[in-house]
């Protein structure tokens, strides 16, 4: 390969798009490193504190698309204080100062201020795509800036963000000259939107393929939008409440029938059960159906809807579908790959409507199933063993029994054998979340069999340090490990500190690790940031090494201690 | 400052995970319950072999509990919650359409009102609505101090009782957190608020 001019290599590298592969390419030799870095356009940074914006810019001057993740995953469940970190402003500031022609920014679990959005909107002439997932810190004013200033905006995708909705006219801020929109998702906004502005925007966006509305968009507006955008591929319905005998409903039926390209349907944030038949004409082509925000949709009407969806590959649903409903899914959706069943009543244990039976039915009826998120009332070893046999292709298996230490209700045994069967059968398993009564044994199985495992979430499990040791020793590809309320202490933590450098991060909360143990890790491994999060002020007054640490988050980094940590975070 | 035990229960999400002591115990009915003396013992690690020999349902029952659940077992049932469980994003609020009605008391008014916090998206909207509701009063627009005439307009301070039973000033925490933790509202006469030394504006004002 030394005989090829650089341009040829560059052309070859163009075909290599996966981040992992490009990273590997850059390690071959200096010349490849150089060519790769100048030609790299897309960069993924899984932990925003592992590298600095300056170094990113220095290495990849041709950067066009940046993906950044901030807070640890457990922040989703209120285990991380609000202002822990993950601020995007310094990144945008640094990129703005440089000559980077940023076109796409994708953020997850980051704090995004209106100032950052405004700076972003004014600094990059060719900016095209903003995707914010589980972020917070901004208001609709920031969105207004994006709408007003990004002249070539193609994508504005807001997923599950905490947005302070000022009920402003951000939608009206898209200028008349903006006709480039391909994707617009504002389903997570709670406030009113200017419906007229929305209609006009959709009218002048001939390339619009994805439109997800919020609850404030009523049915008659939906009908008008669909008439103007029959080319939609992905639709998120806001409010779906109306009188089935009304003119609006008839018009809607006609409009929906014109939308022959819709493959993905979500929303129904407000729904009237008796009007679902209007949707049937598009059900036959759906590959993704997300009804997890529609508690009003249940029972027979829900069943009928699902029975029309024969090509479904991904289904997100609430547990009010029940085991019987999952049986209907099993009979109908033979192409199903991904199933997510969310709890409709998460804080009332005992009310979950699905059990191991529903899961077994789906596993039997849907052999292509490879991704699962399942909140349920109970689980048995026998069911898990059956599921493992039926579906050996799981890549993601996340099980959440609402009562966190519940044993197999039939045998009263821990669920070690059941999960053991899963990891043994599913040789490609990359992500696993455990729940139920579990001993060290399940971790022995995981260490032995889960060779491809990259992410593991553990809660209220195990009996001793051995559990954690089995995992750390056995899972060679482990990248993220998050643990809460397990009896793992310093012995496990300190056994192999070098391992943490091969991982992105480790989270341990309400375990048995002590301050002294954490200090020891920090001392031995300068390439790690070891953070102690303690809001109780104990750290101020009681620096005893034997003290147990409430929350510890450690991650590898190339840039040392971060400077933006709040006062209750100690970086050792 | 509450004890370390209380710290584990800082969850103020909507709803509660009703862990009755019975549900956590793996022993037979009639077994002696977990006592606070036994708590410390339960926290100790057990070896793998002990676990293997564990005969669930036997008389020599040991209950294995994570920290959070141990604390939950000790507390009165009604207040028992485990932080961050189940692992569902609080944002989702996927459940039955929730309405969060809270009582609103105004010092000096003969009767209370009720408002549904879920219909508002910000402190501004809530206070405006309260002003409409109690139209003969002027509620201190604490969130936007620039507008308020310091001499004439201020009459009432909006306060609320949170899930821990503490009375808090409206506006310090993010809106959604407020909605989840607010049990009732009280518009307190500003004259009674004198001496609280409230010089700094709350964090989550409309000017932020």
């Amino acid at each position: 390969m030394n005989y090829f001019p650089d341009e040829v290599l560059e052309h070859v590298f163009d075909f290599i798009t996966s981040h992992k592969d490009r990273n590997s390419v850059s390690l071959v030799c200096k010349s490849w490193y150089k060519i790769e870095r100048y030609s790299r356009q897309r960069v993924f940074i899984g932990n925003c504190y592992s590298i600095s914006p300056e170094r990113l810019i220095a290495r990849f001057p041709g950067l066009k698309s940046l993906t950044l993740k901030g807070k640890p995953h457990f922040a989703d469940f209120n285990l991380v204080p609000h202002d822990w970190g993950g601020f995007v402003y310094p990144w945008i500031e640094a990129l703005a100062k440089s000559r980077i022609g940023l076109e796409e920014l994708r953020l997850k679990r980051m704090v995004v201020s209106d100032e950052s959005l405004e700076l972003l909107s004014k600094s990059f002439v060719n900016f095209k795509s903003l995707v914010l997932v589980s972020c917070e810190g901004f208001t609709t004013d920031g969105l207004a800036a994006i709408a007003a200033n990004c002249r070539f905006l193609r994508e504005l995708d807001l997923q599950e963000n905490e947005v302070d909705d000022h009920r402003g006219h951000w939608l009206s801020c898209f200028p008349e000259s903006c006709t480039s929109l391909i994707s617009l998702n504002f389903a997570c906004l709670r406030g009113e939107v200017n419906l007229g502005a929305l209609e006009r925007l959709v009218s002048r966006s001939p390339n619009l393929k994805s439109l997800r509305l919020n609850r404030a968009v009523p049915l008659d507006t939906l009908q008008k939008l669909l008439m103007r955008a029959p080319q939609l591929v992905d639709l998120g319905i806001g409010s779906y409440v109306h009188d089935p005998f009304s003119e609006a409903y008839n018009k809607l039926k006609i409009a929906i029938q014109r939308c022959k390209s819709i493959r993905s349907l979500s929303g129904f944030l407000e729904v009237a059960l008796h009007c679902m038949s209007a949707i049937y004409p598009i059900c036959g082509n759906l590959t993704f159906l997300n009804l997890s925000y529609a508690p009003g949709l249940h029972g027979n009407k829900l069943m009928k809807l699902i029975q029309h969806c024969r090509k479904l590959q991904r289904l997100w649903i609430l547990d009010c579908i029940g085991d019987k409903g999952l049986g209907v899914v099993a009979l109908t959706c033979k192409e199903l790959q991904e199933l997510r069943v969310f709890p409709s009543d998460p804080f009332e244990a005992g009310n979950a409507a699905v059990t191991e039976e529903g899961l077994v039915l789906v596993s039997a009826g849907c052999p292509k199933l490879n991704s699962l998120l399942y909140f349920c009332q109970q689980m048995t070893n026998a069911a898990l063993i059956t599921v493992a046999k039926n579906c050996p292709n799981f890549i993601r298996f996340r099980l959440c029994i609402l009562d966190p230490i519940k044993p197999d209700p039939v045998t009263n045994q821990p669920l070690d054998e059941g999960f053991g069967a899963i990891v043994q059968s599913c040789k490609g398993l990359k992500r696993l979340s455990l729940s139920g009564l579990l001993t060290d044994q399940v971790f022995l199985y995981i260490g032995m069999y889960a060779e491809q495992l990259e992410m593991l979430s553990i809660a209220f499990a195990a009996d001793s340090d051995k559990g954690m040791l089995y995992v750390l020793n056995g899972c060679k590809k482990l990248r993220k490990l998050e643990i809460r309320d397990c009896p793992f202490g310093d012995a496990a933590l300190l056994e192999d500190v070098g391992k943490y450098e091969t991982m992105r991060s480790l989270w341990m909360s309400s375990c048995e690790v002590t301050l002294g143990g954490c200090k020891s890790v920090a001392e031995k491994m300068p390439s790690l940031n070891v953070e102690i999060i303690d809001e109780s002020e104990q750290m101020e007054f009681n620096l005893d090494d034997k003290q147990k640490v409430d929350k510890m988050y450690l991650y590898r980094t190339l840039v040392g201690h971060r400077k933006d940590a709040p006062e209750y975070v100690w970086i050792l | 400052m509450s004890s370390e035990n209380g710290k584990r229960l800082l969850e103020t999400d909507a709803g509660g995970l009703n862990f009755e002591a019975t549900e956590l115990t793996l022993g037979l009915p009639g077994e002696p319950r977990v006592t606070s003396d036994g708590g410390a013992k339960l926290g100790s690690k057990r070896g793998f072999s002990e676990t293997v020999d564990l005969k669930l349902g036997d008389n020599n029952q040991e209950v294995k509990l994570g920290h959070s659940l141990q604390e939950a077992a000790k507390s009165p049932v009604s207040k028992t919650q485990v932080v961050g469980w189940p692992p569902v994003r609080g944002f989702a609020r996927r459940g039955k359409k929730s309405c969060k009605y809270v009582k609103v008391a105004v010092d000096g008014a003969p009767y209370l009102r009720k408002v549904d916090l879920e219909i508002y998206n910000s402190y501004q909207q809530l206070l405006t609505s309260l002003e409409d509701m109690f139209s003969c009063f002027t509620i201190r627009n604490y969130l936007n101090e620039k507008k308020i005439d310091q001499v004439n307009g201020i009459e009432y301070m909006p306060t609320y009782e949170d899930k821990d039973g503490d009375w808090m000033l409206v506006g310090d925490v993010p809106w959604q957190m407020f909605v989840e933790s607010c049990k009732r509202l009280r518009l307190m006469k500003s004259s009674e608020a004198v001496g609280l030394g409230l010089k700094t504006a709350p964090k989550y004002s409309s000017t932020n």
Side-chain angles (χ1 to χ4, degrees):
Chain A
M1 289 296 254
N2 285 340
Y3 311 123
F4 286 115
D6 288 357
E7 303 81 60
V8 174
L9 279 177
E10 204 178 302
H11 185 64
V12 171
F13 291 173
D14 274 350
F15 292 99
I16 300 172
T17 49
S18 113
H19 293 292
K20 272 199 189 130
D21 291 342
R22 288 204 73 116
N23 292 346
S24 305
V25 157
S26 69
L27 292 173
V28 168
C29 63
K30 276 196 187 143
S31 141
W32 281 36
Y33 176 88
K34 197 182 92 187
I35 299 167
E36 197 283 320
R37 70 176 259 254
Y38 280 111
S39 63
R40 174 103 79 145
Q41 295 188 345
R42 313 181 66 86
V43 174
F44 169 87
I45 296 177
N47 174 4
C48 63
Y49 290 119
S50 61
I51 192 71
S52 69
E54 290 74 25
R55 285 180 65 163
L56 169 74
I57 293 164
R59 180 166 168 192
F60 299 114
L63 182 68
K64 290 211 164 74
S65 162
L66 177 61
T67 302
L68 279 173
K69 292 187 175 183
K71 299 185 191 180
H73 176 229
F74 276 179
D76 283 355
F77 318 130
N78 295 329
L79 288 177
V80 177
H82 257 272
D83 47 350
W84 168 87
F87 307 104
V88 77
Y89 189 83
W91 290 84
I92 297 180
E93 195 182 23
L95 287 162
K97 284 199 187 120
S98 74
R99 290 161 63 198
I100 300 271
L102 193 69
E103 294 184 10
E104 179 177 287
L105 186 62
R106 309 167 75 94
L107 305 176
K108 186 166 186 178
R109 272 185 228 107
M110 295 202 68
V111 178
V112 181
S113 60
D114 283 346
E115 287 75 24
S116 342
L117 290 177
E118 198 169 325
L119 183 59
L120 177 69
S121 73
K122 291 182 174 158
S123 309
F124 307 102
V125 170
N126 281 326
F127 192 74
K128 295 193 171 72
S129 169
L130 180 63
V131 180
L132 302 177
V133 181
S134 303
C135 296
E136 59 177 358
F138 61 102
T139 77
T140 42
D141 294 348
L143 298 179
I146 297 286
N149 302 327
C150 300
R151 296 197 297 146
F152 305 113
L153 195 69
R154 291 193 194 163
E155 180 176 25
L156 179 59
D157 185 359
L158 307 171
Q159 300 176 31
E160 302 211 349
N161 301 289
E162 295 277 350
V163 184
D164 203 357
D165 196 327
H166 291 167
R167 291 186 175 179
H169 297 281
W170 66 275
L171 261 181
S172 320
C173 294
F174 282 102
E176 289 300 313
S177 55
C178 174
T179 57
S180 48
L181 271 183
I182 297 178
S183 167
L184 178 63
N185 172 7
F186 59 92
C188 64
L189 295 186
R190 289 193 250 261
E192 309 291 311
V193 288
N194 185 327
L195 298 177
L198 176 60
E199 287 174 39
R200 287 189 296 276
L201 179 61
V202 169
S203 294
R204 63 176 187 274
S205 303
N207 297 321
L208 194 66
K209 293 281 190 296
S210 169
L211 179 64
R212 296 192 184 188
L213 309 167
N214 78 346
R215 199 190 197 119
V217 180
L219 193 108
D220 51 341
T221 305
L222 171 66
Q223 171 262 320
K224 288 183 198 156
L225 296 173
L226 292 179
M227 288 302 282
R228 288 173 166 85
Q231 76 283 1
L232 281 179
V233 171
D234 169 25
L235 174 64
I237 291 179
S239 173
Y240 194 73
V241 177
H242 55 89
D243 172 3
F245 300 109
S246 66
E247 186 58 27
Y249 184 57
N250 286 326
K251 284 189 183 168
L252 179 71
K253 282 192 203 170
I254 297 169
I256 289 185
Q257 276 168 3
R258 292 177 70 223
C259 296
K260 303 206 184 294
S261 305
I262 294 182
R263 298 286 174 271
S264 162
L265 187 61
S266 61
F268 294 96
L269 307 175
E270 253 184 357
V271 62
L273 275 184
H274 38 268
C275 308
M276 296 311 292
S277 54
I279 303 289
Y280 295 161
I282 54 173
C283 286
N285 288 324
L286 288 180
T287 55
F288 176 39
L289 180 60
N290 181 357
L291 297 177
S292 63
Y293 285 100
L297 197 48
H298 53 265
N300 286 334
K301 298 292 180 180
L302 175 58
M303 294 307 101
K304 271 189 111 170
L305 185 69
I306 295 202
Q307 277 166 335
H308 282 85
C309 302
R310 306 203 143 267
K311 290 196 189 155
L312 219 51
Q313 294 173 13
R314 297 166 61 209
L315 175 63
W316 294 18
I317 196 90
L318 287 171
D319 63 3
C320 44
I321 190 176
D323 287 331
K324 281 216 181 82
L326 289 177
V328 173
V329 171
L331 286 174
T332 311
C333 310
K334 295 302 180 186
E335 301 298 312
L336 197 68
Q337 296 175 28
E338 176 178 323
L339 175 66
R340 296 196 188 191
V341 180
F342 293 95
S344 45
D345 221 346
F347 301 109
E348 295 295 319
N351 289 354
V354 298
T355 70
E356 77 278 9
E357 289 179 18
L359 183 59
V360 169
L361 288 172
V362 174
S363 75
C366 309
K368 295 186 183 178
L369 197 63
N370 61 36
S371 176
L372 182 74
L373 172 62
Y374 197 73
F375 286 83
C376 60
Q377 174 68 15
Q378 62 183 45
M379 186 52 56
T380 65
N381 282 310
L384 285 173
I385 291 169
T386 304
V387 169
K389 232 185 295 187
N390 292 338
C391 298
N393 298 318
F394 274 114
I395 300 173
R396 273 170 242 107
F397 192 88
R398 299 159 66 187
L399 188 71
C400 178
I401 304 167
L402 288 177
D403 178 350
I405 52 163
K406 191 165 180 157
D408 179 328
V410 173
T411 64
N412 242 341
Q413 294 298 305
L415 292 175
D416 302 334
E417 298 305 312
F419 280 106
I422 294 288
V423 293
Q424 199 176 351
S425 166
C426 305
K427 309 219 184 299
L429 193 68
K430 286 191 179 169
R431 183 169 180 185
L432 179 64
S433 300
L434 308 169
S435 62
L437 185 65
L438 296 163
T439 73
D440 287 343
Q441 182 72 8
V442 70
F443 299 104
L444 177 65
Y445 291 142
I446 292 173
M448 271 170 65
Y449 295 114
E451 291 176 7
Q452 303 301 319
L453 196 65
E454 296 181 7
M455 182 170 177
L456 180 62
S457 309
I458 310 172
F460 303 104
D463 307 304
S464 74
D465 286 334
K466 286 196 183 127
M468 185 165 166
L469 290 172
Y470 291 142
V471 171
L472 291 176
N473 291 334
C475 300
K476 300 294 177 208
K477 296 205 174 170
L478 196 63
R479 292 190 301 117
K480 287 183 277 183
L481 180 57
E482 46 186 25
I483 304 170
R484 63 163 296 180
D485 291 275
C486 295
F488 301 142
D490 294 342
L493 181 67
L494 295 171
E495 168 89 359
D496 178 11
V497 292
K499 169 86 176 172
Y500 306 132
E501 215 176 35
T502 70
M503 292 166 54
R504 184 187 296 173
S505 64
L506 168 67
W507 169 283
M508 294 180 76
S509 60
S510 302
C511 295
E512 304 284 323
V513 294
T514 69
L515 182 57
C518 297
K519 279 187 187 170
S520 200
V521 177
E523 256 170 48
K524 294 182 183 159
M525 300 292 299
S527 58
L528 301 177
N529 275 353
V530 181
E531 298 191 5
I532 309 294
I533 300 166
D534 191 328
E535 292 172 283
S536 69
E537 292 172 15
Q538 279 177 23
M539 292 282 295
E540 300 261 7
F541 303 112
N542 185 2
L543 289 173
D544 177 10
D545 275 4
K546 291 205 225 15
Q547 187 188 311
K548 298 230 178 94
V549 155
D550 190 25
K551 293 172 185 169
M552 180 206 72
Y553 180 53
L554 64 80
Y555 50 90
R556 66 182 176 193
T557 177
L558 293 174
V559 290
H561 291 183
R562 61 183 175 113
K563 309 281 186 296
D564 62 0
E567 35 174 40
Y568 53 79
V569 172
W570 279 263
I571 307 183
L572 301 178
Chain B
M1 176 70 198
S2 52
S3 67
E4 186 182 4
N5 293 350
K7 190 75 186 73
R8 305 277 184 207
L9 295 172
L10 50 71
E11 177 52 48
T12 53
D13 268 354
L17 189 56
N18 260 335
F19 274 127
E20 303 190 43
T22 46
E23 289 191 35
L24 295 171
T25 305
L26 297 173
L28 299 169
E31 288 285 317
R33 291 268 163 262
V34 173
T35 63
S36 48
D37 295 333
K41 182 177 155 215
L42 293 174
S44 61
K45 299 176 213 168
R46 291 175 307 167
F48 178 64
S49 54
E50 286 179 285
T51 313
V52 167
D53 289 344
L54 182 70
K55 292 185 179 72
L56 299 169
D58 266 10
N59 287 337
N60 295 329
Q61 197 59 65
E62 268 191 47
V63 180
K64 174 199 65 166
L65 297 171
H67 285 161
S68 306
L69 295 184
Q70 283 183 43
E71 304 314 322
K74 288 176 196 168
S75 300
V77 165
S78 57
K79 283 209 169 173
T80 298
Q81 296 176 42
V82 177
V83 181
W85 192 268
V88 164
R89 274 179 59 76
F91 166 88
R93 286 194 294 127
R94 289 174 151 102
K96 320 267 187 283
K97 181 178 165 117
S98 52
C99 48
K100 175 107 192 231
Y101 276 96
V102 296
K103 290 183 188 169
V104 185
V106 176
D107 287 356
Y111 52 81
L112 279 61
R113 297 294 299 268
K114 264 202 164 169
V115 291
D116 176 6
L117 293 180
E118 296 285 358
I119 65 175
Y120 306 109
N121 293 316
S122 69
Y123 287 113
Q124 196 60 56
Q125 288 171 15
L126 170 64
L127 290 186
T128 307
S129 180
L130 291 179
E131 261 184 1
D132 288 340
M133 215 182 260
F134 299 96
S135 51
C136 39
F137 306 113
T138 305
I139 299 169
R140 175 179 178 150
N141 192 345
Y142 203 74
L143 303 184
N144 199 343
E145 293 186 273
K146 293 180 195 138
K147 280 196 195 151
I148 291 295
D149 179 324
Q150 298 278 347
V151 174
N152 296 326
I154 307 167
E155 288 224 25
Y156 292 87
M157 300 270 294
T159 66
Y160 70 101
E161 184 184 7
D162 73 359
K163 288 221 153 147
D164 297 324
D166 299 317
W167 284 93
M168 319 282 291
L169 181 68
V170 167
D172 279 338
V173 299
W175 170 254
Q176 203 50 41
M177 197 185 279
F178 162 73
V179 171
E180 281 167 15
S181 60
C182 172
K183 277 172 47 184
R184 59 164 83 193
L185 285 158
R186 175 182 166 202
L187 303 181
M188 186 194 254
K189 276 209 173 101
S190 283
S191 52
E192 286 185 27
V194 165
L196 290 181
L198 294 160
K199 294 216 175 84
T200 49
K203 238 160 101 174
Y204 287 87
S205 73
S206 53
T207 55
N208 278 0

